[in-house]
């Protein structure tokens, strides 16, 4: 582990374009259950196809609206953890030295931005944002909890969560920013994602094809682990601060 941290830090010190892909695992230590942890994951409570799809909202807007409203309240009650803060520190350290740095997050909890990260692409949207089903108008200021589930929008539509559901395309701008960053990246770090959900799960391999050094930081093995140049097993809340300390060492 020590050697992998040393090697990762060496790559980062020389890096000109760094991309970090994050998943639910980086927010686990903030108290937000991940999707696939057997005991606590959201999947264990709800069938994702029941809730995280446009069809589910069509079929049962009350249940889906309530689930997202509860998740919004939950994440606003949580704080960024040492892992989020370490990535914000790494970004400011590397950009001060002229490097490019971007976080592509699959998380919808807003914790990277609250930790101070500047260049964050929320590829699956955000729990904090809602969108009208009629005009697409958006708001991040809806009352909490919502006065009713579902909650009517002023344009005659219904407010739906501003997240990307299964079967929905990712926001075009997010995909463009991700592809541009991956094409030119020289270090790609994947943190706390099981690598099961596409198209994001295809991005580590795309980075490798671009010639990037690839690193996976995860508590467990994932289907993508074999393709990474380095796999560092452990928790993001411990490993990321340790990595940043080594990058900042003269
Ligand atoms: C798309 C927002 C084009 C919502 C999310 C059939 C029909 C339609 C589509 C498909 C299909 N088959 C496949 C697809 C594509 C589908 C897909 O990939 N499905 C999977 C299940 C096979 N993808 C899509 O639909 C995407 N859109 O493809 O559009 C299209 C259009 C029409 C038809 C076809 C294609 C949209 C996907 C986005 C879905 N929305 N979130 C919400 O939040 O409710 S996905 C959601 O789940 C998250 O955003 C995240 O992406 C994913 C969860 O994954 P992770 O973040 O990785 O979390 P997970 O719990 O899985 O893993 C946590 C990891 O952390 C673990 O490895 C664990 O060990 C580790 N860990 C835990 N603790 C720690 C830790 N690591 C470090 N430290 C710790 N402390």
């Amino acid at each position: 582990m020590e050697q992998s941290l040393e090697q990762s830090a060496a790559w980062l010190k020389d890096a000109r374009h760094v991309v970090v892909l994050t998943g639910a695992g980086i927010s686990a230590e903030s108290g937000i259950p991940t999707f696939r942890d057997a005991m606590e994951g959201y999947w264990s409570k709800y069938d994702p196809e029941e809730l995280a799809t446009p069809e589910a909202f069509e079929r049962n807007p009350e249940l889906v609206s309530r689930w997202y409203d509860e998740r919004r309240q939950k994440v606003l009650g949580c704080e960024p953890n040492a892992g989020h803060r370490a990535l914000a520190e790494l970004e400011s350290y590397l950009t001060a030295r002229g490097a490019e740095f971007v976080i592509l997050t699959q998380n919808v909890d807003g914790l990277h931005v609250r930790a101070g990260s500047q260049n964050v692409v929320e590829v699956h949207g955000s729990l904090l944002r809602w969108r009208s089903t009629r005009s697409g108008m958006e708001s991040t200021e809806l009352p909490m909890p919502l006065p009713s589930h579902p909650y009517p929008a002023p344009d005659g539509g219904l407010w739906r969560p501003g997240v990307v559901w299964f079967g929905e395309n990712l926001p075009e701008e997010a995909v463009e920013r991700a592809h541009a960053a991956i094409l030119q990246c020289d270090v790609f770090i994947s943190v706390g994602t099981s690598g099961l959900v596409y198209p994001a799960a295809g991005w580590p391999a795309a980075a490798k094809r671009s010639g990037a050094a690839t690193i996976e930081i995860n508590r467990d093995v994932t289907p993508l682990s074999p393709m990474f140049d380095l796999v560092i097993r452990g928790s993001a809340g411990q490993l990321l601060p340790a990595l940043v300390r080594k990058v900042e060492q003269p």
Side-chain angles (χ1 to χ4, degrees), residues 22-29 33-37 40-43 49 51-52 67-68 71 105-108 123-125 127 163-170 191-201 217-222 234-237 239:
T22 64
I26 197 171
S27 295
E29 289 155 276
T34 68
F35 283 81
R36 286 173 183 80
D37 279 359
E40 61 185 340
Y42 278 119
W43 299 141
E49 297 311 309
L51 297 177
W67 184 47
Y68 281 93
R71 288 174 62 192
T105 188
Q106 301 172 89
N107 299 335
V108 293
V123 301
H124 291 159
L127 286 172
V163 300
V164 180
W165 277 326
F166 288 101
E168 291 187 321
N169 287 310
L170 276 57
V191 184
T193 178
S194 59
L196 294 173
V197 175
Y198 286 85
I217 293 177
N218 198 304
R219 190 193 60 188
D220 303 322
V221 181
T222 74
S235 85
L239 289 173

Side-chain angles (χ1 to χ4, degrees), residues 101-116:
F101 185 99
V102 64
I103 294 176
L104 307 177
T105 188
Q106 301 172 89
N107 299 335
V108 293
D109 57 32
L111 290 185
H112 284 301
V113 172
R114 286 175 56 198

Side-chain angles (χ1 to χ4, degrees), residues 188 190 204 208 214-216 222 224-231:
F188 183 100
S190 171
K208 198 170 179 75
T214 55
I215 303 158
E216 181 184 62
T222 74
L224 302 182
S225 296
M227 61 139 283
F228 285 90
D229 296 309
L230 275 181
V231 170

